Amino acid sequence: MAKPAETGGPAPQFSLPGGVLRGEGPEAAFVRADYTVDGAPGRPLVLAFYPGDDTAVCTKQLCSYSSGLERFEELDASVWAISPQGVDSHERFARKNDLRMPLLADTDGTVSRAYGVAAPGIGLRRSVFLVAPDGTVAWKHVALLGMTYQDVDTLTARLAALRAG
């Protein structure tokens, strides 16, 4: 088993299928693609692991991140969300809640295990990793209980500190 991702260490590399809503209203397209972290993304990346589409806390978390995307973009950061559901489930979830960040499908749990957030019985622990532009894990939070999440203010403050250097 791979060693979990640690602060200061390299972010595990991966490629996952997923998609993101583009456009407005019912005509918005869910653009599908492979999303890859190759160890050197070139800009900060927020990786938010969440247990499930259409669950109360996950919906609240991802809606807050989606409505706060401009704040992340001001810090030149991307936000990707990862869960064990498939791309079709992600598309329904994104459309229902107008989520504007990529939702990635880790259906076999490979990426969750690589980041050390896989949890027997529940799939994965609600977690957030900030990946620095050099491909290292700059900060992480792994929840013991999945009823709370890291808010936009906390994440943007961490990103600003990363940017200040």
PDB file of all heavy atoms in Angstrom, residues 123-136:
ATOM      1  N   GLY A 123     -16.199   4.737   2.289  1.00  0.00           N
ATOM      2  CA  GLY A 123     -15.574   5.130   1.028  1.00  0.00           C
ATOM      3  C   GLY A 123     -14.346   5.990   1.218  1.00  0.00           C
ATOM      4  O   GLY A 123     -13.239   5.583   0.945  1.00  0.00           O
ATOM      5  N   LEU A 124     -14.575   7.205   1.727  1.00  0.00           N
ATOM      6  CA  LEU A 124     -13.443   8.096   1.965  1.00  0.00           C
ATOM      7  C   LEU A 124     -13.789   9.112   3.047  1.00  0.00           C
ATOM      8  O   LEU A 124     -14.953   9.353   3.346  1.00  0.00           O
ATOM      9  CB  LEU A 124     -13.004   8.802   0.679  1.00  0.00           C
ATOM     10  CG  LEU A 124     -13.988   9.693  -0.063  1.00  0.00           C
ATOM     11  CD1 LEU A 124     -14.006  11.104   0.508  1.00  0.00           C
ATOM     12  CD2 LEU A 124     -13.604   9.753  -1.523  1.00  0.00           C
ATOM     13  N   ARG A 125     -12.737   9.680   3.624  1.00  0.00           N
ATOM     14  CA  ARG A 125     -12.908  10.728   4.633  1.00  0.00           C
ATOM     15  C   ARG A 125     -12.938  12.085   3.934  1.00  0.00           C
ATOM     16  O   ARG A 125     -12.164  12.336   3.016  1.00  0.00           O
ATOM     17  CB  ARG A 125     -11.759  10.712   5.636  1.00  0.00           C
ATOM     18  CG  ARG A 125     -11.702   9.454   6.459  1.00  0.00           C
ATOM     19  CD  ARG A 125     -10.738   9.621   7.612  1.00  0.00           C
ATOM     20  NE  ARG A 125     -10.607   8.397   8.355  1.00  0.00           N
ATOM     21  CZ  ARG A 125     -11.497   7.937   9.229  1.00  0.00           C
ATOM     22  NH1 ARG A 125     -12.601   8.609   9.452  1.00  0.00           N
ATOM     23  NH2 ARG A 125     -11.284   6.812   9.863  1.00  0.00           N
ATOM     24  N   ARG A 126     -13.830  12.948   4.394  1.00  0.00           N
ATOM     25  CA  ARG A 126     -13.897  14.306   3.853  1.00  0.00           C
ATOM     26  C   ARG A 126     -12.536  14.966   4.122  1.00  0.00           C
ATOM     27  O   ARG A 126     -12.090  15.038   5.260  1.00  0.00           O
ATOM     28  CB  ARG A 126     -15.006  15.089   4.549  1.00  0.00           C
ATOM     29  CG  ARG A 126     -15.244  16.462   3.945  1.00  0.00           C
ATOM     30  CD  ARG A 126     -16.388  17.178   4.646  1.00  0.00           C
ATOM     31  NE  ARG A 126     -17.563  16.340   4.830  1.00  0.00           N
ATOM     32  CZ  ARG A 126     -18.448  16.038   3.877  1.00  0.00           C
ATOM     33  NH1 ARG A 126     -18.290  16.527   2.663  1.00  0.00           N
ATOM     34  NH2 ARG A 126     -19.493  15.268   4.140  1.00  0.00           N
ATOM     35  N   SER A 127     -11.882  15.410   3.066  1.00  0.00           N
ATOM     36  CA  SER A 127     -10.514  15.910   3.180  1.00  0.00           C
ATOM     37  C   SER A 127     -10.256  16.990   2.152  1.00  0.00           C
ATOM     38  O   SER A 127     -10.891  17.023   1.102  1.00  0.00           O
ATOM     39  CB  SER A 127      -9.513  14.769   2.931  1.00  0.00           C
ATOM     40  OG  SER A 127      -9.827  13.643   3.696  1.00  0.00           O
ATOM     41  N   VAL A 128      -9.294  17.836   2.462  1.00  0.00           N
ATOM     42  CA  VAL A 128      -8.863  18.851   1.506  1.00  0.00           C
ATOM     43  C   VAL A 128      -7.337  18.884   1.502  1.00  0.00           C
ATOM     44  O   VAL A 128      -6.703  18.894   2.564  1.00  0.00           O
ATOM     45  CB  VAL A 128      -9.404  20.255   1.856  1.00  0.00           C
ATOM     46  CG1 VAL A 128      -8.894  21.290   0.864  1.00  0.00           C
ATOM     47  CG2 VAL A 128     -10.912  20.261   1.890  1.00  0.00           C
ATOM     48  N   PHE A 129      -6.767  18.903   0.304  1.00  0.00           N
ATOM     49  CA  PHE A 129      -5.324  19.025   0.118  1.00  0.00           C
ATOM     50  C   PHE A 129      -5.069  20.251  -0.737  1.00  0.00           C
ATOM     51  O   PHE A 129      -5.749  20.451  -1.754  1.00  0.00           O
ATOM     52  CB  PHE A 129      -4.767  17.799  -0.609  1.00  0.00           C
ATOM     53  CG  PHE A 129      -4.803  16.541   0.216  1.00  0.00           C
ATOM     54  CD1 PHE A 129      -5.979  15.822   0.343  1.00  0.00           C
ATOM     55  CD2 PHE A 129      -3.668  16.092   0.863  1.00  0.00           C
ATOM     56  CE1 PHE A 129      -6.029  14.670   1.102  1.00  0.00           C
ATOM     57  CE2 PHE A 129      -3.701  14.934   1.629  1.00  0.00           C
ATOM     58  CZ  PHE A 129      -4.884  14.224   1.754  1.00  0.00           C
ATOM     59  N   LEU A 130      -4.100  21.065  -0.337  1.00  0.00           N
ATOM     60  CA  LEU A 130      -3.634  22.161  -1.177  1.00  0.00           C
ATOM     61  C   LEU A 130      -2.320  21.710  -1.792  1.00  0.00           C
ATOM     62  O   LEU A 130      -1.354  21.419  -1.076  1.00  0.00           O
ATOM     63  CB  LEU A 130      -3.418  23.438  -0.365  1.00  0.00           C
ATOM     64  CG  LEU A 130      -4.639  23.984   0.358  1.00  0.00           C
ATOM     65  CD1 LEU A 130      -4.287  25.306   1.043  1.00  0.00           C
ATOM     66  CD2 LEU A 130      -5.807  24.167  -0.590  1.00  0.00           C
ATOM     67  N   VAL A 131      -2.299  21.628  -3.114  1.00  0.00           N
ATOM     68  CA  VAL A 131      -1.107  21.224  -3.837  1.00  0.00           C
ATOM     69  C   VAL A 131      -0.439  22.493  -4.371  1.00  0.00           C
ATOM     70  O   VAL A 131      -1.071  23.284  -5.086  1.00  0.00           O
ATOM     71  CB  VAL A 131      -1.451  20.253  -4.987  1.00  0.00           C
ATOM     72  CG1 VAL A 131      -0.191  19.860  -5.749  1.00  0.00           C
ATOM     73  CG2 VAL A 131      -2.178  19.020  -4.438  1.00  0.00           C
ATOM     74  N   ALA A 132       0.810  22.690  -3.981  1.00  0.00           N
ATOM     75  CA  ALA A 132       1.569  23.869  -4.398  1.00  0.00           C
ATOM     76  C   ALA A 132       1.943  23.763  -5.878  1.00  0.00           C
ATOM     77  O   ALA A 132       1.935  22.665  -6.454  1.00  0.00           O
ATOM     78  CB  ALA A 132       2.833  23.999  -3.549  1.00  0.00           C
ATOM     79  N   PRO A 133       2.292  24.882  -6.498  1.00  0.00           N
ATOM     80  CA  PRO A 133       2.671  24.856  -7.917  1.00  0.00           C
ATOM     81  C   PRO A 133       3.837  23.913  -8.234  1.00  0.00           C
ATOM     82  O   PRO A 133       3.939  23.427  -9.351  1.00  0.00           O
ATOM     83  CB  PRO A 133       3.056  26.312  -8.213  1.00  0.00           C
ATOM     84  CG  PRO A 133       2.251  27.104  -7.244  1.00  0.00           C
ATOM     85  CD  PRO A 133       2.217  26.260  -5.991  1.00  0.00           C
ATOM     86  N   ASP A 134       4.680  23.608  -7.241  1.00  0.00           N
ATOM     87  CA  ASP A 134       5.799  22.691  -7.496  1.00  0.00           C
ATOM     88  C   ASP A 134       5.410  21.224  -7.348  1.00  0.00           C
ATOM     89  O   ASP A 134       6.248  20.335  -7.467  1.00  0.00           O
ATOM     90  CB  ASP A 134       6.991  23.021  -6.596  1.00  0.00           C
ATOM     91  CG  ASP A 134       6.728  22.751  -5.118  1.00  0.00           C
ATOM     92  OD1 ASP A 134       5.603  22.323  -4.754  1.00  0.00           O
ATOM     93  OD2 ASP A 134       7.652  22.972  -4.312  1.00  0.00           O
ATOM     94  N   GLY A 135       4.112  20.955  -7.070  1.00  0.00           N
ATOM     95  CA  GLY A 135       3.647  19.581  -6.984  1.00  0.00           C
ATOM     96  C   GLY A 135       3.738  18.952  -5.610  1.00  0.00           C
ATOM     97  O   GLY A 135       3.509  17.756  -5.463  1.00  0.00           O
ATOM     98  N   THR A 136       4.049  19.744  -4.601  1.00  0.00           N
ATOM     99  CA  THR A 136       4.094  19.212  -3.239  1.00  0.00           C
ATOM    100  C   THR A 136       2.784  19.522  -2.513  1.00  0.00           C
ATOM    101  O   THR A 136       2.068  20.458  -2.861  1.00  0.00           O
ATOM    102  CB  THR A 136       5.262  19.808  -2.419  1.00  0.00           C
ATOM    103  OG1 THR A 136       5.093  21.228  -2.347  1.00  0.00           O
ATOM    104  CG2 THR A 136       6.605  19.469  -3.045  1.00  0.00           C
TER     105      THR A 136
END
